[in-house]
């Protein structure tokens, strides 16, 4: 019998808006639990070719409960965990506390598709990329 978690997850058909956007560097910007005061970004899928994207999509669609996959990025690789048949998690940290962003299969599949080399973000999502750059410039260089 398959385990079906009854936890809330990000869905494309959700009543609450949770996706702020996808910036040009393919970071997924989320309003945590739909709270517009709590905006976070997580690394997304970034590829250099269509064949690489195809391989990642096939690997994602083949994930079984208990398995995970890692998609390489230069900094902060994306790790997707399959929790159940239609529940996937991406680990993050908010205010020093570990959290898991949960997604259904269709939603995460759609986000992965934004890695397509021909995909372009919305004009307003370019500002998200600027916010990401600004945040990185305000971090200390050395501790």
């Amino acid at each position: 019998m398959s385990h079906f978690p009854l936890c809330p997850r990000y869905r494309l058909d959700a009543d609450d808006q949770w996706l702020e956007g996808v910036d040009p560097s393919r970071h997924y910007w989320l309003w945590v639990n739909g709270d517009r005061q709590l905006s976070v970004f997580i690394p997304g899928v970034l590829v250099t070719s269509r064949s690489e994207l195809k391989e990642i999509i096939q690997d994602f669609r083949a994930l079984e409960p208990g398995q995970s996959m890692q998609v390489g990025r230069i900094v902060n690789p994306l790790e997707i965990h399959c929790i159940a048949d239609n529940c996937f998690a991406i680990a993050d940290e908010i205010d020093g506390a570990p959290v898991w962003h949960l997604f259904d299969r269709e939603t995460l599949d759609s986000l992965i598709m934004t890695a397509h080399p021909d995909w372009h973000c919305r004009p307003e999502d370019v500002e998200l990329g600027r916010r990401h750059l600004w945040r990185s410039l305000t971090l200390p260089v050395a501790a």
Side-chain angles (χ1 to χ4, degrees):
M1 185 169 152
S2 177
H3 173 70
F4 182 77
L6 298 176
C7 53
R9 62 198 86 174
Y10 297 117
R11 299 180 344 259
L12 291 176
D13 62 350
D15 293 332
D16 296 328
Q17 189 175 7
W18 55 269
L19 181 63
E20 187 174 0
V22 180
D23 71 23
S25 62
R26 307 322 200 259
H27 286 91
Y28 310 142
W29 289 75
L30 314 173
W31 288 306
V32 178
N33 297 327
D35 181 355
R36 291 180 180 250
Q37 301 303 311
L38 187 52
S39 175
V40 298
F41 63 91
I42 56 178
V45 176
L46 187 60
V47 299
T48 56
S49 68
R50 287 181 173 91
S51 60
E52 184 182 3
L53 177 60
K54 183 178 179 180
E55 183 179 326
I56 290 169
I57 290 170
Q58 289 172 340
D59 290 348
F60 168 69
R61 291 178 180 170
L63 282 177
E64 296 289 330
Q67 295 180 328
S68 63
M69 68 180 281
Q70 194 171 54
V71 180
R73 288 183 70 107
I74 295 172
V75 179
N76 297 333
L78 172 66
E79 189 162 355
I80 301 171
H81 303 270
C82 181
I83 307 300
D85 287 333
N86 194 26
C87 185
F88 298 86
I90 296 175
D92 194 13
E93 188 176 298
I94 298 176
D95 295 332
V99 298
W100 287 52
H101 300 287
L102 301 178
F103 299 86
D104 66 7
R105 181 180 300 275
E106 179 184 16
T107 302
L108 202 46
D109 194 68
S110 294
L111 287 173
I112 291 170
M113 293 292 194
T114 64
H116 191 282
D118 294 335
W119 179 85
H120 296 284
C121 68
R122 302 175 307 165
E124 56 268 29
D125 290 344
V126 172
E127 183 57 35
L128 296 174
R130 288 185 184 117
R131 275 182 24 207
H132 179 243
L133 180 60
W134 179 251
R135 284 184 187 180
S136 67
L137 293 174
T138 60
L139 294 174
V141 175

